């Protein structure tokens, strides 16, 4: 009997009481990467945004950090932007301030009952004289600001004839390299004329050239002997350094370059190894930037490697 009762109790407890099962634990959150955006601020108002991937963290921690910004906040020069947008107003502002101050001092002097004659013993007279001096200084500063304005330098169309002359008998590799040099210069810089001299030969004359004085529609050919004996090319080749004449009209040595148009604005003399020089004419004063000059120097080294091989092979063939 007791056995039956114990079995019934067990059956009732199994039906009435819930079974205790282990609670399933959630799988660990997959790892993901946090991206923190860092602003790199440059004093000339250039702002660069770069994405930096940090170490992997759990999803829960990444969700809590989403939307937060870590790093220096970008700065903005509101005053500089306003001044650049209102340049005319800023230049005339000292005149307006000085004029208003001058009128205010005169009106105060007229309606305050003070004698119009300045009295050195009167503090009011001394203050008026000081204010008048400051107002006059403001007006003069405004006049100076109005007289000094940045000058826009516009390109000048070369007054010459378009030409394309390549030395006959050079190899196809040198021909292709010279034409590539010209196409790169004319498309990427303000170059409008190009002359390449190597050894005692002119390999290339392309772009704008001076018109022949005979008036037959021809161009002025390059006299290599006269050119290399001139001070410009001689000093450039001896120093093996690039020579940049930003405003060619200011240099008397421009007479050594009669094959260039008369209104050539800027000039670069670029040595090509020890035996050559490239003469690059531009249509804008100070039209060649520092990046252009550095790039031209690098391309000239590449050109020297090709032309020097041709010169050696040509010399051996003549022997």
């Amino acid at each position: 009997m007791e056995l039956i009762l114990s079995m019934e109790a067990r059956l009732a407890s199994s039906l009435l009481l819930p079974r205790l099962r282990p609670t399933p634990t959630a799988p660990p959150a997959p790892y993901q990467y946090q991206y923190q955006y860092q602003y790199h601020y440059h004093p000339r108002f250039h702002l660069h945004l770069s994405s930096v991937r940090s170490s992997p963290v759990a999803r829960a921690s990444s969700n809590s950090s989403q939307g937060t910004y870590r790093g220096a906040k970008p700065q903005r020069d509101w005053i500089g932007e306003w001044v650049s947008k209102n340049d005319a107003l800023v230049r005339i502002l000292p005149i307006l301030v000085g004029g208003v101050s001058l009128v205010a001092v005169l009106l105060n002097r007229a309606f305050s009952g003070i004698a119009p004659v300045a009295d050195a013993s009167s503090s009011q007279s001394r203050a008026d004289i000081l204010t008048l001096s400051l107002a006059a200084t403001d007006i003069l500063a405004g006049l100076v600001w109005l007289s000094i304005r940045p000058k826009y330098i516009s390109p000048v169309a070369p007054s010459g004839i378009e030409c394309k002359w390549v030395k006959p008998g050079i190899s196809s590799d040198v021909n292709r390299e010279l034409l590539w040099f010209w196409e790169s210069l004319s498309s990427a810089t303000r170059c409008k004329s190009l002359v390449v001299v190597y050894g005692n030969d002119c390999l290339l004359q392309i772009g704008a050239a001076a018109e022949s004085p005979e008036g037959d529609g021809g161009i002025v050919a390059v006299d290599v002997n006269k050119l290399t004996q001139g001070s410009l090319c001689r000093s450039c080749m001896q120093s093996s350094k690039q020579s940049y004449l930003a405003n060619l009209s200011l240099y008397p040595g421009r007479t050594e370059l009669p094959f260039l148009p008369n209104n050539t604005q800027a000039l670069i003399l670029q040595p090509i190894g020890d035996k050559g020089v490239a003469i690059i004419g531009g249509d804008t004063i100070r039209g060649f930037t520092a990046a252009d000059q550095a790039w031209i120097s690098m391309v000239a080294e590449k050109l020297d490697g090709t032309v020097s091989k041709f010169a050696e092979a040509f010399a051996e063939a003549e022997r």
Side-chain angles (χ1 to χ4, degrees):
M1 187 66 180
E2 293 178 356
L3 180 59
I4 294 174
L5 291 175
S6 63
M7 292 178 64
E8 290 179 351
R10 291 178 181 178
L11 180 61
S13 63
S14 64
L15 293 175
L16 295 176
L17 296 177
R19 295 185 179 183
L20 298 176
R21 296 180 180 178
T23 304
T25 59
Y31 288 94
Q32 65 179 6
Y33 290 94
Q34 284 185 347
Y35 288 87
Q36 299 177 0
Y37 295 96
Q38 299 179 356
Y39 288 89
H40 303 281
Y41 178 73
H42 192 274
R44 291 179 64 85
F45 318 114
H46 295 288
L47 195 63
H48 305 282
L49 178 64
S50 62
S51 176
V52 180
R53 191 173 70 174
S54 63
S55 59
V57 294
R59 183 186 295 251
S61 63
S62 67
N63 291 337
S64 62
S65 63
Q66 286 181 356
T68 60
Y69 171 72
R70 299 177 181 179
K73 294 183 179 180
Q75 301 179 4
R76 190 172 180 180
D77 190 359
W78 299 96
I79 298 178
E81 293 181 1
W82 184 85
V83 169
S84 61
K85 293 179 181 178
N86 302 273
D87 179 73
L89 177 61
V90 172
R91 290 178 182 276
I92 202 174
L93 189 60
I95 298 178
L96 297 177
V97 174
V100 171
S101 302
L102 183 62
V103 173
V105 171
L106 295 178
L107 291 177
N108 179 65
R109 190 78 179 183
F111 295 101
S112 61
I114 303 176
V117 179
D119 186 5
S121 61
S122 173
S123 59
Q124 182 64 37
S125 298
R126 293 193 296 269
D128 291 344
I129 293 174
L130 180 61
T131 306
L132 291 175
S133 302
L134 295 177
T137 304
D138 284 343
I139 294 175
L140 293 176
L143 294 176
V144 171
W145 286 11
L146 287 177
S147 61
I148 301 176
R149 290 181 178 272
K151 182 180 179 181
Y152 175 73
I153 302 176
S154 58
V156 177
S159 59
I161 300 176
E162 290 292 328
C163 71
K164 181 180 179 181
W165 183 88
V166 183
K167 178 179 174 58
I170 63 175
S171 64
S172 59
D173 294 338
V174 177
N175 190 356
R176 183 169 56 252
E177 192 82 7
L178 291 172
L179 294 180
W180 171 82
F181 186 37
W182 160 249
E183 292 174 0
S184 301
L185 285 174
S186 59
S187 60
T189 66
R190 303 302 309 181
C191 173
K192 297 301 178 182
S193 305
L194 175 63
V195 173
V196 177
V197 174
Y198 197 87
N200 297 324
D201 297 319
C202 177
L203 302 183
L204 177 68
Q205 184 178 7
I206 194 169
E211 186 177 0
S212 175
E214 285 77 9
D216 54 356
I219 62 173
V220 177
V222 179
D223 189 348
V224 178
N225 294 327
K226 186 177 180 181
L227 176 65
T228 54
Q229 292 175 3
S231 59
L232 289 178
C233 285
R234 187 175 64 253
S235 60
C236 177
M237 297 179 66
Q238 289 178 354
S239 63
S240 298
K241 294 182 180 180
Q242 184 185 93
S243 178
Y244 179 35
L245 309 181
N247 190 354
L248 187 59
S249 61
L250 302 179
Y251 295 89
R254 63 174 302 174
T255 56
E256 302 175 8
L257 310 170
F259 47 85
L260 292 179
N262 295 329
N263 60 346
T264 301
Q265 302 297 302
L267 184 73
I268 288 181
L269 296 172
Q270 174 61 49
I272 303 177
D274 299 331
K275 301 179 180 180
V277 62
I279 303 171
I280 304 168
D283 63 346
T284 307
I285 297 176
R286 294 185 292 275
F288 296 100
T289 63
D292 295 338
Q293 300 172 47
W295 178 77
I296 290 172
S297 300
M298 296 178 63
V299 175
E301 295 178 1
K302 180 178 181 298
L303 184 63
D304 176 47
T306 304
V307 177
S308 60
K309 295 178 182 179
F310 162 75
E312 293 175 359
F314 187 74
E316 291 178 0
E318 287 185 346
R319 292 176 186 176

